[in-house]
């Protein structure tokens, strides 16, 4: 049951090909993989903005950049993770098919 629900979440495509989906980010395995890198990116992004951007841009542009960077990072990261998960599922499916065809009890006579 749980495996079927996770596959259904993976079957939902990203809107417009890039927008993050809430169903994907609610998976605990995704947060285990992406949580630390997302936290490090957000910290470094905000430090870079405070050092280089805030002094020379208006406040509204700084706020827009502060939200846009992590949003794009999460979008691209989701796209990458989805590709890896699909590849893993395809390899697992082909591995079980190969094992099933090599079963000696299923040999046709």
């Amino acid at each position: 049951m749980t495996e079927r629900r996770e596959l259904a979440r993976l079957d939902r495509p990203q809107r417009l090909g890039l927008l993050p989906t809430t169903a994907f980010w609610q998976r605990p395995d995704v947060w285990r993989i992406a949580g630390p890198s997302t936290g490090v990116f957000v910290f470094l992004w905000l430090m870079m903005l405070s050092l280089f951007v805030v002094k020379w841009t208006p406040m509204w542009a700084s706020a827009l950049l502060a939200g846009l960077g992590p949003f794009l990072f999460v979008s691209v990261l989701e796209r990458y993770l989805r590709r890896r998960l699909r590849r893993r599922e395809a390899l697992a499916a082909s591995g079980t098919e190969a094992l099933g065809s090599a079963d000696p009890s299923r040999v046709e006579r």
Side-chain angles (χ1 to χ4, degrees):
M1 178 73 177
T2 340
E3 182 180 327
R4 185 171 176 81
R5 188 177 332 139
E6 289 180 7
L7 289 176
R9 288 181 181 172
L10 191 58
D11 288 343
R12 295 179 190 168
Q14 286 179 272
R15 292 175 296 261
L16 300 177
L18 192 66
L19 298 177
T21 56
T22 55
F24 183 80
W25 288 100
Q26 289 177 351
R27 294 174 54 159
D29 58 338
V30 170
W31 276 110
R32 254 184 268 122
I33 296 169
S37 60
T38 305
V40 167
F41 175 81
V42 169
F43 174 75
L44 293 175
W45 180 257
L46 293 178
M47 292 303 294
M48 188 215 43
L49 284 177
S50 68
L51 291 174
F52 299 112
V53 176
V54 173
K55 297 173 187 172
W56 296 289
T57 60
M59 189 60 152
W60 66 268
S62 297
L64 182 67
L65 285 173
L68 190 62
F71 180 79
L72 289 175
F73 177 77
V74 166
S75 299
V76 171
L77 184 62
E78 179 178 345
R79 196 163 174 89
Y80 171 74
L81 290 174
R82 282 175 174 267
R83 187 178 323 128
R84 293 284 307 261
L85 288 171
R86 282 192 196 107
R87 187 178 302 149
R88 185 187 308 166
E89 286 177 6
L91 286 174
S94 66
T96 56
E97 289 174 4
L99 288 176
S101 63
D103 188 14
S105 63
R106 303 179 107 192
V107 175
E108 293 182 26
R109 295 185 181 162

